[in-house]
Amino acid sequence: MRNQDQNQRGAANGIAMTAMSLFKAIGPAGGGAVLSWAQKRQNAAFLPGVISDDFCIAINRTDILVSYSLIDS
């Protein structure tokens, strides 16, 4: 693996931190919207509320596990 200039690393880290901050700010609103949508669909034929809630929770847990595995490596 080739070493990059410090300026390039700094720019990449800045972009990554900006994106992380934006997603951390938008995430709770998005999660609330999905939860609200799922609660309205309790008796739907396709993706009823309980299943869509569980699916979103599973996706979130997978994201957390992947994030921690990237940090450890």
Side-chain angles (χ1 to χ4, degrees), residues 15-59:
I15 291 168
M17 289 182 69
T18 301
M20 181 185 67
S21 295
L22 287 172
F23 285 118
K24 285 176 87 172
I26 295 170
V34 169
L35 180 63
S36 174
W37 171 76
Q39 287 178 340
K40 291 178 187 174
R41 297 178 46 86
Q42 290 296 318
N43 296 319
F46 179 71
L47 283 179
V50 177
I51 292 175
S52 57
D53 281 347
D54 291 343
F55 178 73
C56 291
I57 291 169
I59 293 295

